[in-house]
Every structure is written in structure tokens, then in C-alpha cells.
Amino acid sequence: MDEPLFGCTVLDFVLQLPGLPLLLGPLLLPFLPKLGRQIGMVLLPLVSGAHLAWLASGADAEPVRRTIFGHLELVPTRLDDLSMVWGIIFHVAALLAAVYSLHTVEVRKQVAKQWEHAGGLVYAGAAIGAVFAGDLITLFVYWELTAFASVFLIWGKDEPGIERPPAVIFRTGMRYLIIQVGSGVILLAGILLRQMDTSIADPLYFGPLFSGDLASAPLWVWLIFLAFGIKAAFPLLHSWLQDAYTQGTHTGTVFLSTFTTKMAIYALARGFAGTEALIYIGVVMTLFPIPFAVLENDLRKTLAYSLNNQLGFMCVGIGIGTTLALNGAALHAFAHILYKSLLFMSMGAVLYRAKSCKVTDLGALHKSMKWTARFCLVGALSIAGFPLFSGFVSKSLTISAVAEEHLIWIYFGLMLASAGVMEHSGIKIPSYGFYGKDRGMRVKPAPLNMQIAMGLTAAACIFMGLTPGLFYEHIAPYPLEYHSYTVAHVVDQMLLLCFAALAFLVLYRHNVFPKYERAISLDSEVVYRKLLPWATSGIERVGGRVWRGMLDAGTGLFFGIVKVFYDWTGPKGMFGRSWTSGNIAGWATIMLAFYLAFVFFWR
Amino acid sequence: MTDRKPPTTPEPHQEPSPKPYAKKQLGSLGPVDLWLRRGSYLCVFLVVVKIAFLLFSDAWGHAHFSFEKWPGFFEALGFLGFALLVVIGRLMGPWVRRPEDYYDPELAEASPHSGAESDG
């Protein structure tokens, strides 16, 4: 073939891929000595960031289209303002998570640990690739790669003493993989159906895919929406998130919490901005995890529910689809990645030192982990949306967008959810994680690298809260003129949060809170972890019985008939008494029959 | 002669706080309890600030919904909304709670503290 396979030289093609150092570099990590691996883990996100800056400096206004294998037109690199928001924050989060997990770099013995680090960084690279993908096929490839790379973060080996039985971890990873890869397969089915639709001009290009009424949408819209929805943890499709993020290693969950769901939020923002259904899905998503988070004993699972609730805010913004709302969704994803990483980091530190992050085990850890507790407080104040912290400046964009559209019930829902965030993340996480009842537990402070990572993340949260204008101007994907620190915003938000805190105090005094027990809560995962196995075993049980019954009845009937004949004509039967005369009668009958036939046919 | 006193039992330690709940609550929430109690003064301050602004200043600006300017709206929403979600959680508890080894039988043996333990 004269035409090159990739539409250009292979080297050109590969060098243009964003996140390339994170995609290929980590594969060398397991073969390096300890110090080399530590340096590599910090360096790779930095190199990738520099690579992205290099790509952005040389980028044209129109992304380059490459024809692969002679006919498939791909856009592997599209750098525009919307994807840049996610690109930047994914790099920052990858760097922070890498610094956070430096202490787990062991000498060569632990194979699982080595591939865990490589997996975490490749996972970050794949997510970065996905947000810069300009066409659906490239998106699909990265979509699946995130699933395969991130499962190592669940299968990784954790510190001894942390309760993670290998069989449980293996099954959790398999469930995660099935759901994540399943989402990719559904995405591919949607892409193929879209390509078959001849009315679409550029079927593979990943621009706005659909906005309008989903009820009358063609099948491919539903499939792609469902694929995005699985990874964005829509209500009822969400339980993989709580399942996997609770079972990840103490460093792995920090990676996990950042990329998959926010990549899906990006995909929704790109493809489904203005789809009204997203508003309602988003509101349900902000509200339903809260009672679960209130009940939950495991603090990392509480954070996973709270992550789900925050994704709801972004979905509402995307569903509204105005410039303000989309800016709100993007900036909220930006801020959310920082404070959610911070909270997962602090809980990871607790898990690492105290070997558990369950309410029923913890207490008064602030006496031994002073700085970790303070960083956790910063994360809690950020997620609750207190003024001067990052959650406030990003969440108020979405809420203002809802108010501008006069969606009164949605507004109520989001306000209610904000009060709920105050409970499970604002108060519960720090107070039960660090300040709770003293059970005499004294541990060492978190390792230095963890504290550095948490300190940097906390500083970023406060910086964003103090200088929102900088982020509105440079990070927001669309032009944005907004002031978050007006008297009305600040006082109203503070009123909401302070009275929610007051409610906590009152309810706590009157013992209204559910008692924490060593227990789990049933969630939609019960469908595939109990109901389906029960149903299939039930089908096997009932079906087996029916089949056996039919078989028994059939053979019983057959042998019954045989028995009747036997009883009448067998040795002891009535006709058996006269076998000899019976024989003669039989032969006579046969002869007569032949005679009759002869007469009838040859007459 | 040394004067011999009968051995006295040490004075039983007096509870410093007469409030029946104070010690228990402080024990189970630590400094958070104190912060929240101090924070409740902030509630009063904020209510006053909002009313003062609405009465004497026009810096409040435009509201998209009329109820945003009602004094007491955000207070009630925060307090009652929070209480509602907690009560839903509490009512849901008996229905959805299952033992830790409900899905994974391996977690039963691995658990260091078996048996339910409540907090507070």
C-alpha cells in the first residue's frame, strides 16, 4: 500500500497522543529499582503535562483528522477549552495521587504492588486520552483502557493488617471489570448503530451527539447514553462505585475516585449537553445516596456515596445546558476532583495507620494524626461548600444556573442535597474519622509523602476558594461573568450550612441518628449479587424438578402401559393361561389377515 | 506516738459538668461537639445579618425566586432538610442493613471485632 497505515508515520501519530508519557512510561516502572520507580512516578505526570503544553502550543484551531487503515477517519487529538479543563485537572490529580502513593513503593518482592502503580498511572493516561479524543472510536479505546488499567488498583496488595481477603478482592475486581468493560461494549454498539444511520453527516465525530427528548431518540442515543451513564454512576447503575472504591487499596482509591466518573461527566458534557432528562437524573443522584451515606459504617463507602451525590450536581448542570450551567459543571468537576481526592487521601491515611476506616473502630485519631485531621477538615469544608473553600465557588454556578431557569423543584432538590452533604461529608467524615470517641487508639502520623500530597491538595482547595476569578477566567470552558462572593450568596449558603450543622447537634443530642453497626446496606447491587444468582439457581432448581417430573411421568406412563400388557398377557396374566391356544388363535388371525389382503388386492 | 488516722478512701472524682449529656457527648464527638456549639452562635449572627441587610441595604441584589428573600427560608431548609434526610436514613436502617458477611462469607472470619457495637 502506498498510503501509510495511520495517515502519517506511526511516530507522528503516536507523538500527537495526549497523555502519551502516562500511557507508555509506567510500563517501565516495575523494572526499575525503588528510587527510580519513585522518581518515575512523580516525573511521569509532569512530563505528560509538559507534553500537553507542547501539543497545545502547536495546536491548530481545527483538530487534525487522520485516516486509519485507508478508510477510518479519526481525530485522536482535539484540544479545546472544554477538554482542557479535564486535561489539566487530571494531570494535577495524577501527580498528587502519585506523590501520595510513593511510600508504598517496595523493593521488588511485591509483584502486585508494582503493577498497581503502573496501572494507576496508565489509568490516568487513558482518562486524559479519553477527554482529548475527538472521535467516538478513540473514545471507545480509551474508555476500555481505563477499565483494564484501573482494576489493578483493586487487585493490588495492601498493607498487612488491613481487612482485604484475597477472594473478596478478586471477586470485587471481576465485578468492576465486567461492569466497566460492559459499559464500553454498549458504547461500541451505540457507535456502530450511529454509523449505520446515513442521515448523520460525520457519524464518528465526537461533538454534541444529542439534546432533546430521549423518549423519541433512536436506539444508538440510548445505548451511548447508557454507556456514559454506567460510568457516571446514574441511580441504580451506581453500585459498582461503592463496591469498588471501598475495596481498593488505600492509595488505589485515590486514583479511582478521580478518573472514571469524571471522564464520564466530560463525555456527557460533550455529547449530551442540554438533554433535559439529565436534570432529573442529576437531582435523584444528588438525593438518593444521602440516607445511605448517613447509615454507612465504612467511611470510604460514605465518601463513595458522597461522590455519587456530587456527580448529580454536575449532571444537573449538563442537563440545563446553558453556558453558565456548563461552566458550573466543568468547574465543579475541577473542584470536586481536588477535594474528593483530599478526603479519600485522608481516609487512606487512616486506613494505612489504623488498619480500618470504619466508624465502629475509629476514634480520637486527631491526637496522633494532627495534620491529616486538619487536611481532612479542609476537604470537608470544601465539599460542604463553605465560603472561602473550593466547593462554594463551583457549586454556586450550577445553583445559579438552576435559579436562572426558574426550575423551582430542582432548586429545592439541590438545596436539600447541599444540606445533606453537610451531614455525611462535612461533619461525619472528620468527626467520626478523627475526632470521635477515644478508644485508646494511638498510631504514628501519616508518612511524609502522604502529608505533602494532602497539604498540596488542601492548599489547592483553599486557593480555588480564595481566587475564584482566576478560575472563572482561565479554566472555565465558556466565557463566564460571575461573582460568587456576593452578600446574598455568602449569607444564604452560610445560613443553610449552619442551620444544617445546628440540626446535627440537636439530632445528635436526641439520639435521632442511626447507631453505627458493623453492617452493610443493601443497595442496587443486591440485584446482581443476590437476586440474579438466586434466580438462576432457582431456575436450575425449579427447572430441574419440572424436567425430572416430566421424565418420571413419561417413563412412568411407558412402563405403566407395558405393565398393563404384561399383567394381561404375561405368564401370570389372564391371557397367559392359554398361551398355546392363544398362539394358534394368533397364527390363525395372521393367516386370515393375509387371506383377506390377497382377496382384496388380487381379486 | 504517731497519730494514726484511719485510712481514708480517696474522694470520688466529681463530675465537673452537671449536665447529664455533656460528658457523654463530648466523649463521642470530641472537639467537634464544642465547635458545633460555638457555631450555633453563628446561626443567630447570620440571621441578624440577613434581616439587617434586607431592611437597611439594597446590596442583596436580585433574587430569582421570591422566597430567597424571606427570612427563615434557608434556615428552615437547612434544618428541616437535614433532619428529613437523617430520619429517612434512620427509618431505612432496619430495612436495608445486613451483616458484613452478607455478600462475602470470607469477611466473617476476617473481622477483628465481631458483633455489633454502637457508638454514642
Side-chain angles (χ1 to χ4, degrees):
Chain A
M1 252 204 305
D2 295 344
E3 210 176 325
L5 214 55
F6 286 91
C8 58
T9 64
V10 177
L11 191 68
D12 259 4
F13 182 82
V14 170
L15 277 182
Q16 296 281 325
L17 294 177
L20 174 77
L22 280 173
L23 285 171
L24 295 181
L27 302 180
L28 295 175
L29 284 181
F31 306 104
L32 293 177
K34 185 178 171 185
L35 187 67
R37 210 171 328 140
Q38 287 180 327
I39 293 173
M41 278 168 63
V42 178
L43 222 52
L44 281 173
L46 291 173
V47 172
S48 178
H51 176 249
L52 181 64
W54 171 69
L55 283 180
S57 67
D60 303 323
E62 193 67 16
V64 184
R65 286 169 183 261
R66 300 198 189 278
T67 310
I68 305 244
F69 307 137
H71 62 279
L72 203 57
E73 198 176 71
L74 299 188
V75 191
T77 310
R78 172 185 49 194
L79 305 131
D80 63 3
D81 291 339
L82 186 65
S83 46
M84 218 45 159
V85 180
W86 274 266
I88 292 169
I89 191 62
F90 278 179
H91 276 98
V92 174
L95 177 67
L96 292 169
V99 173
Y100 180 78
S101 41
L102 281 182
H103 66 285
T104 55
V105 172
E106 297 286 334
V107 273
R108 289 189 182 209
K109 298 182 286 202
Q110 287 188 341
V111 177
K113 191 52 102 185
Q114 295 170 22
W115 286 103
E116 185 197 327
H117 294 136
L121 290 175
V122 171
Y123 173 42
I128 290 164
V131 300
F132 289 112
D135 69 281
L136 291 167
I137 296 290
T138 313
L139 180 76
F140 163 75
V141 172
Y142 286 124
W143 198 262
E144 293 289 39
L145 187 57
T146 53
F148 286 116
S150 57
V151 78
F152 289 98
L153 300 167
I154 299 167
W155 281 342
K157 197 171 156 56
D158 214 338
E159 298 304 310
I162 297 175
E163 182 187 328
R164 294 172 82 237
V168 175
I169 298 310
F170 177 74
R171 287 202 299 270
T172 307
M174 281 314 251
R175 279 196 299 276
Y176 175 79
L177 210 51
I178 289 168
I179 292 169
Q180 299 296 307
V181 172
S183 154
V185 172
I186 294 169
L187 175 64
L188 184 63
I191 295 169
L192 294 179
L193 282 182
R194 179 178 153 89
Q195 206 188 10
M196 282 160 65
D197 190 343
T198 45
S199 64
I200 301 167
D202 195 359
L204 285 184
Y205 189 73
F206 184 28
L209 298 175
F210 185 79
S211 66
D213 188 13
L214 272 183
S216 57
L219 181 62
W220 65 263
V221 174
W222 278 88
L223 287 175
I224 296 181
F225 192 71
L226 180 66
F228 291 174
I230 290 174
K231 287 216 181 190
F234 280 0
L236 300 183
L237 306 175
H238 66 279
S239 56
W240 64 266
L241 191 155
Q242 286 81 12
D243 185 16
Y245 290 11
T246 317
Q247 296 294 343
T249 63
H250 72 280
T251 53
T253 302
V254 178
F255 278 101
L256 283 173
S257 72
T258 299
F259 298 105
T260 301
T261 48
K262 259 64 75 184
M263 179 179 81
I265 290 294
Y266 162 80
L268 286 170
R270 175 72 74 181
F272 291 94
T275 304
E276 201 190 343
L278 274 173
I279 301 177
Y280 306 111
I281 292 173
V283 166
V284 174
M285 230 164 131
T286 54
L287 289 174
F288 90 91
I290 295 175
F292 284 97
V294 170
L295 271 180
E296 187 53 53
N297 185 32
D298 189 319
L299 287 177
R300 285 206 298 175
K301 205 168 194 174
T302 307
L303 281 180
Y305 278 117
S306 126
L307 203 166
N308 215 326
N309 145 293
Q310 296 290 307
L311 295 173
F313 282 95
M314 299 172 214
C315 280
V316 171
I318 295 167
I320 293 171
T322 57
T323 316
L324 179 64
L326 286 174
N327 275 328
L331 282 175
H332 199 214
F334 192 94
H336 165 87
I337 285 174
L338 289 173
Y339 58 66
K340 190 53 85 176
S341 294
L342 179 55
L343 288 169
F344 269 114
M345 280 178 188
S346 63
M347 282 304 119
V350 167
L351 184 65
Y352 180 66
R353 283 306 190 203
K355 309 297 181 200
S356 167
C357 53
K358 291 179 178 162
V359 174
T360 45
D361 295 341
L362 297 175
L365 279 177
H366 69 291
K367 291 176 184 165
S368 29
M369 304 175 83
K370 203 193 295 176
W371 280 99
T372 310
R374 287 174 188 167
F375 296 139
C376 180
L377 269 183
V378 173
L381 293 172
S382 299
I383 193 172
F386 268 95
L388 306 183
F389 294 93
S390 61
F392 174 75
V393 300
S394 60
K395 201 192 280 175
S396 49
L397 289 173
T398 308
I399 289 177
S400 293
V402 172
E404 272 188 10
E405 298 298 306
H406 287 272
L407 302 167
I408 181 162
W409 290 108
I410 309 297
Y411 184 81
F412 269 111
L414 294 189
M415 281 295 160
L416 201 59
S418 300
V421 175
M422 186 62 194
E423 200 284 323
H424 58 71
S425 298
I427 300 178
K428 178 178 174 179
I429 294 290
S431 60
Y432 288 105
F434 293 100
Y435 299 99
K437 183 161 73 182
D438 196 344
R439 293 171 212 270
M441 186 185 269
R442 294 292 177 273
V443 296
K444 282 191 278 183
L448 184 65
N449 65 299
M450 275 187 169
Q451 299 210 24
I452 291 173
M454 284 187 277
L456 289 174
T457 319
C461 287
I462 295 173
F463 179 69
M464 186 168 177
L466 291 179
T467 58
L470 216 59
F471 290 84
Y472 293 162
E473 194 180 341
H474 297 291
I475 301 288
Y478 306 106
L480 177 60
E481 192 62 44
Y482 188 80
H483 299 287
S484 48
Y485 285 109
T486 63
V487 183
H489 278 150
V490 173
V491 173
D492 284 346
Q493 178 77 3
M494 286 292 283
L495 274 173
L496 186 81
L497 296 177
C498 287
F499 273 83
L502 189 68
F504 178 90
L505 202 60
V506 172
L507 296 181
Y508 194 83
R509 288 281 162 83
H510 291 90
N511 276 328
V512 177
F513 275 89
K515 295 228 180 303
Y516 292 107
E517 292 168 13
R518 295 190 67 88
I520 57 156
S521 303
L522 288 184
D523 202 343
S524 65
E525 67 183 343
V526 76
V527 172
Y528 60 82
R529 293 186 72 178
K530 281 282 174 186
L531 231 53
L532 279 182
W534 177 81
T536 47
S537 72
I539 288 168
E540 192 249 313
R541 231 173 22 242
V542 174
R545 197 169 291 165
V546 168
W547 176 244
R548 179 63 52 82
M550 278 163 59
L551 218 57
D552 284 355
T555 48
L557 189 66
F558 177 73
F559 284 112
I561 292 169
V562 168
K563 187 166 183 302
V564 167
F565 274 92
Y566 184 79
D567 283 351
W568 283 85
T569 62
K572 289 179 182 161
M574 197 177 80
F575 294 110
R577 286 178 213 148
S578 50
W579 265 0
T580 40
S581 52
N583 274 351
I584 292 165
W587 285 114
T589 314
I590 292 166
M591 274 171 62
L592 283 171
F594 271 109
Y595 177 70
L596 199 66
F598 180 78
V599 169
F600 188 74
F601 289 111
W602 280 281
R603 192 158 53 108
Chain B
M1 295 292 274
T2 57
D3 90 344
R4 276 193 181 175
K5 281 180 183 171
T8 52
T9 52
E11 282 287 305
H13 179 62
Q14 288 292 322
E15 294 295 328
S17 166
K19 291 174 192 164
Y21 49 76
K23 182 167 183 285
K24 184 185 132 211
Q25 300 299 343
L26 271 175
S28 48
L29 272 185
V32 175
D33 193 75
L34 193 68
W35 297 343
L36 288 176
R37 272 187 288 161
R38 292 206 181 131
S40 50
Y41 297 119
L42 197 59
C43 294
V44 182
F45 171 73
L46 285 166
V47 172
V48 174
V49 165
K50 178 157 182 175
I51 293 172
F53 258 98
L54 286 175
L55 286 182
F56 303 116
S57 157
D58 52 357
W60 202 263
H62 167 72
H64 292 287
F65 303 112
S66 58
F67 51 72
E68 280 182 62
K69 286 196 175 183
W70 299 347
F73 172 73
F74 285 98
E75 292 89 325
L77 194 63
F79 194 94
L80 298 178
F82 187 96
L84 176 75
L85 291 167
V86 170
V87 168
I88 290 175
R90 170 151 188 168
L91 294 179
M92 223 171 68
W95 293 89
V96 301
R97 266 197 175 148
R98 291 291 181 277
E100 276 185 326
D101 58 349
Y102 181 69
Y103 293 124
D104 301 304
E106 290 88 347
L107 288 175
E109 298 100 54
S111 165
H113 321 274
S114 56
E117 190 186 335
S118 61
D119 188 271

